[in-house]
Amino acid sequence: MIQNRVHVCDLREHLGRTVTVCGWVNTLRLMSKVQFLIVRDNSGLVQVTHRRDGGPLEAQLEALTPESAVRITGRVLDAAQVKLGGLELVPEAVEVLNLAATPLPIDEHTGIEHRLDWRFLDVRRRPAPQLMFAVQTTLEQGMREYAYAQGATEMHTPKLMGTASESGAEVFELGYFGRSAYLAQSPQFYKQMAISAGIEKVFEIGPVFRAEPSFTSRHATEFTGVDVELAWIDGVEDVMAFEEQMLAHAIAKVADAHGEAVRERFGVQITVPTTPFPRITMAEAHEILNQGGWDPEGTKEDLDPEGERSISAHIRQATGHEFVFITHYPVSIRPFYHMRPAEDPSVTLSFDLLWRGLEVTTGAQREHRYDVLLRQAAEKGMSHEPMRDYLNAFRYGCPPHGGLGLGLGRVLMVMLGIDSIREATFLFRGPNRLTP
């Protein structure tokens, strides 16, 4: 670390003293008598004011370009006329650590796709994404805190698999020493193996890969998933209760640490949700939506984005709550390993969590009985042989369990009012984007 460095946000504590500031050249105004330089670090902006005197400092400042990395040593003075904190830095020494090329490839008018080509500059130049990543860090910390407090073990499962994890349609295939391997589209099977291994509560925060040719504002081919699995549950309600408490804890932590900054930068009020969250069955959701003319042909089994937004709006109007669990999805649109209630085997003990109309989580109680799993897999037309290792985990006393998978980027989108998953990710990956 650079010795005696002072962050811009702390300069007022050093009035009258000589300090060192490190940052990037934000803007330059080179007047006939005075050279003005705005320097930006990750805590704010400061004006550097140098009266021309024909000396070496004048030449150094004259040669600077926007976004050059600099180290400036100077005296901190009160300057009521300066809008940036009412102070200025009068330079005594300027060190150019890295002169930026000119012109810059992006500016404030550049569209998102071109900005993504230069994401490091995009993030560096805008306070909003920097705040977003600080929020992401606090959010993850809050979820981990809650999981640890509940006695959960953090696991790191393989992302290379010898067989397609759930179905062959949405996985990436790659060469692996003369045979095929696949990128994991979920840690699902490995979480369940951990449960069978006697680790009662498991969670993981890590990469998930989906080979979906989706070009929507909420889909990505690689994203960060938050996955949880809980053993010895009485039912799927235990899983939903775990998630709502985990989210309430994490959101409260974000509100406490960043609420004011988020209001200022994103214009969004972070509201800590009350628990429990509302719950309605898929059948009830269909009934409510159909009354509003959502599916006049009666052909939709799942909720489309319009349906998710509409049912969330209905719940918010009825209860004041921004979250809602949709439960009991039909067997036809859920994986074979979701448990089915004995009283109605046409549905699953599963759920999606919607937040302000966007699906952020899918979860369920899993089927832990070996013979039932075999039957349900066969009903889906799935061969047992590729899943032999997975199925073996249920042959020797696997307990009742259930879990969930949450998309971290989607949670950030909703929390901060971001329009696209592209903005809620550092380096986005989609069907048309593998760079930078």
Side-chain angles (χ1 to χ4, degrees):
M1 298 294 291
I2 294 174
Q3 296 298 312
N4 303 318
R5 179 192 176 190
V6 174
H7 283 88
V8 167
C9 64
D10 298 324
L11 284 176
R12 183 151 289 283
E13 300 171 17
H14 298 268
L15 278 175
R17 301 182 200 158
T18 297
V19 301
T20 296
V21 169
C22 298
W24 291 272
V25 176
N26 195 67
T27 54
L28 289 155
R29 281 173 50 224
L30 305 174
M31 319 290 282
S32 59
K33 295 184 179 179
V34 184
Q35 294 165 303
F36 294 107
L37 171 67
I38 305 298
V39 171
R40 181 189 71 249
D41 68 11
N42 62 359
S43 73
L45 302 165
V46 63
Q47 178 174 296
V48 177
T49 306
H50 178 255
R51 298 194 175 280
R52 291 184 183 272
D53 56 6
L57 278 182
E58 179 179 327
Q60 281 184 294
L61 294 173
E62 198 71 20
L64 285 176
T65 56
E67 293 305 318
S68 292
V70 295
R71 173 165 47 200
I72 297 181
T73 299
R75 197 169 183 82
V76 184
L77 300 180
D78 246 328
Q81 76 280 7
V82 177
K83 294 179 181 178
L84 297 175
L87 50 79
E88 63 185 1
L89 190 66
V90 176
E92 298 170 4
V94 174
E95 184 179 354
V96 181
L97 303 173
N98 195 322
L99 189 69
T102 188
L104 296 173
I106 59 172
D107 60 26
E108 61 272 17
H109 305 296
T110 305
I112 182 170
E113 285 302 321
H114 190 52
R115 283 194 287 109
L116 291 180
D117 292 337
W118 298 93
R119 186 61 163 159
F120 69 94
L121 270 179
D122 179 44
V123 171
R124 185 208 297 174
R125 287 164 51 85
R126 295 192 298 129
Q130 301 224 356
L131 174 59
M132 182 191 72
F133 293 121
V135 168
Q136 175 182 292
T137 299
T138 303
L139 181 69
E140 287 189 52
Q141 183 184 9
M143 289 190 288
R144 280 191 168 94
E145 276 181 357
Y146 180 80
Y148 294 153
Q150 302 306 305
T153 299
E154 186 168 6
M155 303 290 284
H156 302 286
T157 61
K159 304 310 166 200
L160 286 170
M161 308 180 74
T163 60
S165 51
E166 294 180 22
S167 69
E170 297 177 356
V171 293
F172 290 106
E173 183 177 358
L174 63 154
Y176 192 77
F177 300 104
R179 61 189 190 274
S180 289
Y182 305 88
L183 292 178
Q185 67 175 146
S186 166
Q188 181 60 52
F189 289 178
Y190 293 125
K191 286 190 303 177
Q192 292 184 265
M193 286 182 187
I195 292 295
S196 195
I199 305 173
E200 293 194 1
K201 294 176 181 176
V202 176
F203 81 99
E204 176 172 11
I205 301 178
V208 178
F209 303 90
R210 296 283 168 87
E212 297 177 86
S214 297
F215 299 87
T216 74
S217 62
R218 61 184 188 168
H219 285 92
T221 53
E222 178 183 353
F223 61 90
T224 300
V226 180
D227 279 86
V228 175
E229 206 72 24
L230 310 171
W232 306 106
I233 62 173
D234 291 324
V236 69
E237 177 61 36
D238 291 350
V239 181
M240 292 189 285
F242 185 100
E243 177 170 32
E244 64 194 3
Q245 293 293 338
M246 178 179 72
L247 281 173
H249 176 83
I251 293 169
K253 196 171 184 70
V254 170
D256 182 57
H258 308 289
E260 187 176 338
V262 167
R263 254 192 325 272
E264 178 183 329
R265 190 64 61 189
F266 289 95
V268 172
Q269 176 72 39
I270 296 179
T271 303
V272 181
T274 57
T275 57
F277 297 173
R279 292 139 163 76
I280 63 168
T281 67
M282 175 63 97
E284 291 169 334
H286 271 265
E287 187 177 341
I288 292 166
L289 291 169
N290 289 341
Q291 289 173 1
W294 167 68
D295 181 25
E297 293 84 16
T299 58
K300 296 178 182 178
E301 289 188 287
D302 206 350
L303 298 181
D304 58 12
E306 178 193 353
E308 291 175 348
R309 289 190 294 268
S310 296
I311 199 65
S312 289
H314 173 87
I315 293 297
R316 186 165 188 176
Q317 185 174 20
T319 68
H321 216 290
E322 294 183 342
F323 288 89
V324 59
F325 283 114
I326 309 295
T327 69
H328 295 84
Y329 277 71
V331 165
S332 58
I333 57 173
R334 286 309 210 208
F336 77 95
Y337 54 80
H338 282 192
M339 183 176 278
R340 306 170 188 180
E343 66 274 12
D344 184 4
S346 69
V347 299
T348 55
L349 294 171
S350 65
F351 64 86
D352 278 2
L353 178 62
L354 310 182
W355 186 9
R356 297 183 198 153
L358 182 65
E359 175 205 320
V360 295
T361 299
T362 294
Q365 180 170 1
R366 322 300 184 186
E367 182 51 70
H368 62 284
R369 296 164 294 185
Y370 179 70
D371 57 333
V372 179
L373 269 174
L374 292 181
R375 185 174 69 247
Q376 292 183 179
E379 288 174 10
K380 294 274 188 180
M382 302 180 72
S383 171
H384 297 166
E385 183 57 30
M387 298 186 292
R388 182 180 54 201
D389 290 331
Y390 168 70
L391 291 169
N392 280 342
F394 302 93
R395 295 177 62 190
Y396 304 99
C398 185
H401 61 282
L404 61 95
L406 172 151
L408 185 65
R410 288 193 181 187
V411 170
L412 286 172
M413 281 177 65
V414 182
M415 178 182 287
L416 302 178
I418 297 170
D419 292 332
S420 172
I421 197 81
R422 290 164 174 76
E423 295 271 23
T425 311
F426 178 44
L427 296 173
F428 173 73
R429 291 293 179 259
N432 292 335
R433 182 168 288 278
L434 269 174
T435 57

